[in-house]
Amino acid sequence: MTRSVDRYVRDLVEYGIHTHLIGEEERIYSTNMILDVMDMDSYEEPEDYTVPDLSDPGDALEKILQGLLADAAIRGVTEDDQISKDLFDTRLMNCITPRPSYVRARFEELYRSSPKEATDWYYKFSGDTDYIRRYRIKKDLKWKTATEYGDLDITINLSKPEKDPKAIAAAKNAPQSSYPKCLLCAENEGYSGRMNHPARENHRVIPIKLAGEDFFLQYSPYVYYNEHCIVFNRNHVPMKIDRSCFEKLFDFISLFPHYTIGSNADLPIVGGSILSHDHFQGGNYEFPMARAEIISDFTVKGYEDVKAGILKWPLSVIRLDGSDRERVIELASHILDSWREYTDEEAFIYAYTDGEPHNTITPIARMRDGMYEIDLALRNNITTEECPLGVYHPHDNLHHIKKENIGLIEVMGLAILPSRLKSELALLKEYILEGKDVSSNEDIAKHAQWVLDFIPDYVNIDKLNIDGIMRDETGKVFAHVLEDAGVFKQTEEGLSAFRRFAGSL
């Protein structure tokens, strides 16, 4: 009688062949690799075997891995918590994942034909290997909200696994290690992981050169948008926004003109979650910011050949366009240097307090109609007693929706909201429809004032329109979050201050 685990082993091999991760000639080798990870001494070819439905590879892979994980957990080969299972199934996927040399050679071969053909293949490959867990990404909630700045993209991230108490305790008690130094280091490629560091055995990266330095291209395992890529320095060096940064951004879009690329700022509060490792993020996606219109053109003396303008955007953004990349880079560098030292007390812009620098830039580069284009979002991380998290940071009244730092992706108009909102918004809908007091439930009391503020805007709220209302109102909060991050507000007074800075260049 065929054991069910034998069928799952065969299924995983068939999956690998179907997705071209392995060839038919590697069937026996890959089977034995899987048996080793599963701690199985024997294997029998399943009787009356039927190849599983692989029309949706992501869904098929999830079922195959669930079957193998269940068997391994029952036999004590792996613990049954989510982190342990993620570490274990990554080992399984490594059994059918090609070596880095093949992946890089294949990418280079396709790139010679077309950069897009190369990234198309690599993106699919990253999903087929389960480095991008497509069956989890599908759970993310996504919608668009119309605002005065155009449609904003709203997402509630559900793809990062929640840590259960057992896993948290195990991670706390795990031996500390400084290898790899961070989640972006090149040493993650092929790393088996541990309770406090994700497995990367199925991870493959592509080497590229930017401004003469060694970088690697990879995709984010959480893909917040189409082909969400990360480009990281070969060396573990900190983020730095300078002329070299702009050169690297333009080198990247020269290599991959169908992609957008940007960098988080290099200061706390207004920077990303990893400031210790130089990296960029981009992808094959048109962000809301890219569709924003220029509301005020200006010219910088000595750079008349480069078009410059202020965007209609909640953050304070200057857009530069030009056919000569070096001239665009020179002007971007001039604006950065000027902004670093710029103080306007009337607008509460201080370059330094007690010697601490506050001004920096979040840059985003793209090709548009054969022109080099860069958006420069002006950032300032000053804090006060009233705003200890930052004056240009989401204010307290918006923390019920978003209190985390506003990084590159949010700057471009895509909200990454916490997973807690899925259950909280569902409970809010119930309370609103039934006329119950939102403040009476501690799980959603933080949303009470928000609900009281927007309910009067609607003549009728019922089961037919409640979902749309909650999505729209959540999106409106995100627009206010971005407005809080803007150093010059989109008001007559704010735009006047913005033009003062532009005029000072």
Side-chain angles (χ1 to χ4, degrees):
M1 181 177 178
T2 301
R3 299 175 300 178
S4 60
V5 67
D6 289 335
R7 291 188 181 276
Y8 288 122
V9 171
R10 174 73 181 273
D11 286 347
L12 187 56
V13 173
E14 295 293 345
Y15 170 87
I17 293 172
H18 175 80
T19 53
H20 305 290
L21 294 176
I22 58 175
E24 180 62 40
E25 64 273 20
E26 296 171 292
R27 177 184 292 276
I28 294 175
Y29 174 83
S30 299
T31 298
N32 287 329
M33 291 282 288
I34 296 168
L35 296 180
D36 179 53
V37 173
M38 291 292 293
D39 196 20
M40 293 169 58
D41 295 328
S42 63
Y43 169 77
E44 293 183 7
E45 282 292 337
E47 299 173 0
D48 302 322
Y49 179 79
T50 302
V51 176
D53 180 7
L54 299 173
S55 57
D56 185 329
D59 285 351
L61 181 59
E62 181 181 25
K63 294 173 184 175
I64 295 168
L65 293 177
Q66 284 176 345
L68 291 168
L69 286 168
D71 178 86
I74 289 172
R75 292 187 293 111
V77 181
T78 182
E79 295 296 322
D80 200 27
D81 64 89
Q82 191 62 61
I83 292 179
S84 295
K85 290 191 291 187
D86 281 0
L87 293 171
F88 188 80
D89 68 14
T90 304
R91 287 183 63 199
L92 287 171
M93 290 307 300
N94 188 46
C95 297
I96 59 171
T97 299
R99 292 293 183 100
S101 57
Y102 166 81
V103 176
R104 295 174 185 185
R106 180 62 175 153
F107 186 90
E108 290 172 6
E109 177 187 12
L110 293 170
Y111 185 89
R112 286 192 289 270
S113 173
S114 160
K116 187 176 186 304
E117 191 174 339
T119 55
D120 284 351
W121 172 82
Y122 182 45
Y123 187 58
K124 180 181 181 300
F125 171 87
S126 299
D128 288 342
T129 61
D130 208 35
Y131 177 71
I132 297 173
R133 295 176 182 261
R134 292 177 293 205
Y135 44 87
R136 288 184 183 167
I137 303 301
K138 289 169 63 174
K139 298 176 183 178
D140 289 350
L141 302 180
K142 300 181 179 183
W143 68 90
K144 295 183 183 293
T145 295
T147 73
E148 64 176 292
Y149 309 104
D151 288 349
L152 298 180
D153 294 336
I154 313 298
T155 70
I156 295 180
N157 172 44
L158 303 173
S159 55
K160 286 187 178 180
E162 297 289 337
K163 295 182 180 179
D164 58 42
K166 183 179 177 182
I168 293 172
K172 180 179 179 182
N173 296 325
Q176 295 301 303
S177 173
S178 59
Y179 182 88
K181 290 181 180 178
C182 77
L183 291 170
L184 291 178
C185 283
E187 289 76 16
N188 281 280
E189 186 178 38
Y191 184 60
S192 62
R194 54 185 187 268
M195 292 302 291
N196 55 10
H197 192 105
R200 292 292 184 254
E201 287 166 301
N202 57 348
H203 184 36
R204 304 292 183 263
V205 298
I206 305 297
I208 59 175
K209 286 276 190 182
L210 300 179
E213 296 183 34
D214 291 329
F215 276 74
F216 289 100
L217 168 68
Q218 68 170 67
Y219 288 106
S220 166
Y222 305 114
V223 287
Y224 295 130
Y225 50 86
N226 186 50
E227 297 178 48
H228 177 183
C229 70
I230 299 172
V231 182
F232 63 95
N233 199 308
R234 173 65 181 86
N235 300 310
H236 185 76
V237 294
M239 302 279 292
K240 187 176 183 181
I241 304 298
D242 57 10
R243 180 192 174 99
S244 176
C245 170
F246 300 147
E247 290 173 347
K248 292 164 187 170
L249 295 179
F250 278 117
D251 274 0
F252 182 84
I253 59 173
S254 295
L255 288 171
F256 304 100
H258 57 298
Y259 272 17
T260 291
I261 191 75
S263 174
N264 269 302
D266 55 358
L267 293 179
I269 297 177
V270 295
S273 58
I274 302 178
L275 293 177
S276 61
H277 196 127
D278 186 25
H279 71 285
F280 311 113
Q281 294 185 76
N284 188 11
Y285 189 74
E286 184 181 59
F287 289 90
M289 177 192 276
R291 299 189 293 269
E293 298 181 354
I294 290 176
I295 57 172
S296 182
D297 292 299
F298 65 93
T299 300
V300 179
K301 186 177 180 180
Y303 299 93
E304 290 81 4
D305 54 325
V306 179
K307 181 181 178 183
I310 294 171
L311 287 192
K312 172 67 176 178
W313 195 246
L315 281 94
S316 308
V317 181
I318 292 172
R319 175 169 292 167
L320 305 180
D321 285 278
S323 58
D324 185 335
R325 59 169 273 168
E326 292 306 314
R327 292 289 289 163
V328 177
I329 289 172
E330 287 174 11
L331 180 51
S333 301
H334 172 64
I335 292 172
L336 171 65
D337 293 343
S338 300
W339 176 245
R340 292 277 196 199
E341 304 298 323
Y342 187 75
T343 291
D344 183 341
E345 294 186 7
E346 183 181 343
F348 203 78
I349 303 296
Y350 294 88
Y352 301 91
T353 56
D354 299 324
E356 178 186 352
H358 295 302
N359 290 348
T360 185
I361 277 176
T362 300
I364 302 100
R366 66 184 72 87
M367 296 295 298
R368 192 194 294 266
D369 299 327
M371 303 283 279
Y372 291 94
E373 183 170 280
I374 189 166
D375 289 342
L376 305 173
L378 309 180
R379 313 298 301 276
N380 180 289
N381 74 346
I382 194 169
T383 61
T384 63
E385 289 185 7
E386 296 78 17
C387 300
L389 297 179
V391 172
Y392 305 107
H393 177 88
H395 291 176
D396 291 353
N397 64 312
L398 306 178
H399 286 184
H400 65 103
I401 295 294
K402 175 78 173 179
K403 64 179 179 181
E404 296 80 11
N405 293 347
I406 302 305
L408 169 67
I409 296 172
E410 286 96 351
V411 166
M412 294 188 287
L414 192 156
I416 304 171
L417 303 181
S419 59
R420 62 175 172 81
L421 284 177
K422 179 183 179 182
S423 58
E424 291 176 6
L425 293 179
L427 192 55
L428 275 173
K429 288 189 292 184
E430 174 189 323
Y431 269 62
I432 292 171
L433 290 174
E434 296 179 8
K436 294 193 285 188
D437 180 9
V438 172
S439 64
S440 67
N441 187 319
E442 64 178 12
D443 291 333
I444 54 174
K446 57 180 166 291
H447 298 293
Q449 187 58 54
W450 174 50
V451 172
L452 288 175
D453 289 342
F454 75 68
I455 278 183
D457 295 337
Y458 298 91
V459 176
N460 179 55
I461 299 178
D462 55 33
K463 291 182 178 179
L464 296 177
N465 64 10
I466 185 70
D467 288 329
I469 288 172
M470 296 306 296
R471 287 194 296 266
D472 284 347
E473 293 299 329
T474 301
K476 291 175 184 177
V477 171
F478 178 61
H480 293 315
V481 162
L482 296 184
E483 288 172 338
D484 282 352
V487 294
F488 299 117
K489 308 307 179 186
Q490 289 278 322
T491 62
E492 184 177 342
E493 181 181 9
L495 289 173
S496 176
F498 201 163
R499 293 187 182 99
R500 280 202 301 275
F501 170 65
S504 72
L505 295 171

